[in-house]
Amino acid sequence: MTQKKALVVRGGWEGHRPVEATELFVPFLRSNGYAVRVEESTDVYADTAELADTDLVVQCVTMSEITSEQLAGLSAAVVAGTGFTGWHGGIADSFRASSDYLHLVGGQFATHPGKEPCERRGDESDNFLPHTVTLTELGREHPVTAGLDDFELTTEQYWVLHDDLIDVLATTTHPARPWQPWHRPVTVPAVWTRQWGAGRIVVTTPGHSLDVLENPNVRTVIERGMLWATRTASAS
């Protein structure tokens, strides 16, 4: 049996701790039989031969930039069957200037609403809100999230813009608070999958900090997402 190959690509904004965050999951991949290669930049995406031989790409690159050649390589690999997954800003807030990347992933970070102004202290906790991640009907049956219950988090609550080609496994709802400009609650995807050509994509929006990534529910979703997104036999 051929050993599965995973490529971990990390970098971008250091606030999301790309090295420490990805190191949480490398042992999981190795224990599940993957040969793991780690790259500190997106230059590898332009190596079409390397990507063609890769079964799963795990990306943790917040913001930053991607060249047209790199994105073309990544997109072609996914279309041909390479899985693509990640969490939080490392996949949903990557390469803001690239509309083609947004088209690939199907959803993009717009904001994370903050606390009431009088409660803010001027640090990142100003954006940590208690909220619920609610499984959808599909999510209660899907291999990535089956058997999980709705769960609570106090961390950044991502508001994402998205299209209808994603399959939403879990949502979160932003209430209409008096100090915010919107006038009714807004429900957005928190976990989704996307079929792109022969490739599978999984996006998990919680994951701002290491403690959130170590939350049993979040970690389960990310780890199952890696396994599910990996190139299938039909995509070989």
Side-chain angles (χ1 to χ4, degrees), residues 30-229:
R30 288 182 172 143
S31 70
N32 279 274
Y34 292 77
V36 181
R37 173 179 174 179
V38 178
E39 291 291 333
E40 309 294 338
S41 84
T42 54
D43 291 346
V44 68
Y45 289 162
D47 185 345
T48 54
E50 174 65 26
L51 285 193
D53 198 37
T54 297
D55 300 297
L56 175 69
V57 174
V58 180
Q59 179 181 282
C60 185
V61 183
T62 304
M63 296 181 280
S64 193
E65 296 179 349
I66 191 168
T67 68
S68 58
E69 292 79 11
Q70 292 165 4
L71 182 57
L74 174 62
S75 297
V78 174
V79 168
T82 299
F84 186 51
T85 191
W87 54 86
H88 202 61
I91 191 168
D93 188 23
S94 309
F95 322 127
R96 293 178 180 177
S98 175
S99 60
D100 288 337
Y101 176 79
L102 170 59
H103 194 211
L104 171 68
V105 174
Q108 188 174 47
F109 166 81
T111 191
H112 40 63
K115 296 176 180 176
E116 187 171 2
C118 65
E119 297 180 355
R120 298 177 187 179
R121 302 186 301 182
D123 58 31
E124 66 175 11
S125 69
D126 291 347
N127 299 314
F128 293 175
L129 298 177
H131 60 278
T132 303
V133 176
T134 304
L135 269 66
T136 62
E137 184 176 346
L138 173 63
R140 296 191 182 281
E141 300 177 352
H142 195 281
V144 171
T145 43
L148 299 180
D149 293 321
D150 301 347
F151 56 94
E152 307 292 324
L153 295 172
T154 300
T155 183
E156 290 182 350
Q157 183 185 17
Y158 264 22
W159 179 320
V160 297
L161 308 179
H162 61 95
D163 66 26
D164 288 337
L165 192 62
I166 64 174
D167 295 317
V168 181
L169 306 186
T171 64
T172 190
T173 298
H174 299 270
R177 296 183 171 95
W179 62 91
Q180 302 289 13
W182 54 94
H183 304 287
R184 62 176 182 266
V186 178
T187 298
V188 300
V191 180
W192 71 84
T193 67
R194 186 174 183 86
Q195 187 78 34
W196 200 250
R200 293 173 167 183
I201 298 170
V202 183
V203 177
T204 305
T205 63
H208 172 73
S209 51
L210 301 183
D211 62 305
V212 176
L213 291 170
E214 291 175 326
N215 175 283
N217 293 293
V218 175
R219 184 158 192 153
T220 295
V221 171
I222 292 171
E223 291 178 343
R224 288 184 183 176
M226 292 175 177
L227 299 178
W228 184 84

